Amino acid sequence: MELEVYSMNGSKTGKKVSVSDAVFGIEPHEHSMWLAIKATLANRRQGTHKVKGRSEVAGSTRKLYRQKGTGRARQGDIKSPLHPGGGKMHGPQPHLYTQDLPKKVRQLARKSALSQKVKANAFYVIEDLNLGEIKTKQMAGMMKSFSLDGKNSLVLTAENNKNVYLSGRNLPSLSVLDAAQASTYDIWKNKAVLIEKSALEIIEKAFEGGARKKEVAHIALPA
């Protein structure tokens, strides 16, 4: 498969680049994408929700009144969940939401997300962004030239390009990521993807094997 290469001003350069059909030209597999997106969002949850139970709230442990003979319902101490200020029954406690997927499912999901964008004509290969300075106006102009201003878009760079990242940081609808770190969710949720020409090889090599990288750093909490 060959894709057009665009310049930063949105015009075609007349050049084309060959990409792997096995990565950018497959039939999108929606279920694998759903599994990957669900896992990514679950892994981003901190799981810090917490309420105090009966044994954790402050209060006296004295029994409020005798068990029998009063005509009233049986009561224990003031920390009972039935009283204002008492502990909560069956409330949320800190726990992990981490989900894992088989490697082949994760790879299929990412390929599907990329292929879906190519199929929808929302995948643009651009010349490498060599910004000499941090200039948000340049990034805004590039998005406008692709008719993407105000639309959620993703720019994938070949490496951690500080000038490109800082130039696009103030644009609410634009995300800039290293191509090796972009997850299925990052690709799927954006209206369009713009990728540097040199980053294509990085994405293709990522499917050849190597050490696995976690998409999301989860904050583990003590039980």
Side-chain angles (χ1 to χ4, degrees):
M1 176 188 294
E2 289 188 337
L3 298 175
E4 291 277 359
V5 178
Y6 293 83
S7 64
M8 194 172 177
N9 60 16
S11 61
K12 294 181 180 180
T13 62
K15 301 176 184 178
K16 290 189 176 182
V17 60
S18 296
V19 296
S20 173
D21 288 340
V23 177
F24 298 96
I26 69 169
E27 184 64 30
H29 193 275
E30 293 188 358
H31 185 63
S32 66
M33 287 194 292
W34 176 76
L35 289 173
I37 292 167
K38 184 165 69 78
T40 298
L41 294 178
N43 294 344
R44 289 182 180 182
R45 297 186 67 173
Q46 292 184 349
T48 55
H49 39 37
K50 173 75 170 69
V51 296
K52 289 185 177 182
R54 182 171 186 162
S55 63
E56 298 171 304
V57 296
S60 172
T61 57
R62 179 184 66 87
K63 186 173 174 64
L64 295 179
Y65 46 81
R66 60 183 180 166
Q67 182 80 345
K68 295 179 177 294
T70 65
R72 291 180 290 180
R74 294 170 288 183
Q75 292 285 345
D77 58 42
I78 196 67
K79 297 190 292 182
S80 166
L82 303 177
H83 293 288
K88 301 299 180 183
M89 291 185 289
H90 312 298
Q93 297 294 323
H95 67 90
L96 299 179
Y97 286 92
T98 305
Q99 297 181 17
D100 199 10
L101 292 176
K103 180 179 178 179
K104 288 185 178 180
V105 175
R106 288 186 283 108
Q107 289 187 337
L108 176 60
R110 198 159 180 245
K111 290 177 183 178
S112 296
L114 291 167
S115 298
Q116 188 180 64
K117 285 292 184 283
V118 173
K119 194 174 182 179
N121 296 320
F123 190 86
Y124 302 95
V125 180
I126 58 176
E127 294 178 322
D128 289 0
L129 301 173
N130 297 315
L131 301 184
E133 58 179 340
I134 300 169
K135 203 75 173 177
T136 300
K137 187 176 181 179
Q138 284 184 297
M139 294 296 288
M142 182 180 74
M143 303 312 296
K144 189 172 183 179
S145 64
F146 282 95
S147 300
L148 294 173
D149 50 322
K151 297 178 182 177
N152 288 339
S153 305
L154 175 65
V155 171
L156 297 178
T157 59
E159 56 187 9
N160 187 11
N161 192 321
K162 185 178 179 180
N163 283 356
V164 175
Y165 171 74
L166 293 178
S167 296
R169 183 173 59 176
N170 286 334
L171 298 176
S173 60
L174 180 63
S175 300
V176 179
L177 290 175
D178 185 343
Q181 300 296 328
S183 68
T184 299
Y185 176 67
D186 294 321
I187 298 167
W188 170 83
K189 74 173 183 178
N190 286 286
K191 183 79 174 177
V193 175
L194 289 80
I195 182 171
E196 288 184 328
K197 183 180 176 182
S198 58
L200 291 169
E201 185 179 358
I202 293 174
I203 287 183
E204 290 180 354
K205 281 187 175 180
F207 294 106
E208 295 176 1
R212 177 184 173 186
K213 294 182 179 179
K214 286 189 176 182
E215 292 185 349
V216 178
H218 184 83
I219 302 174
L221 297 172

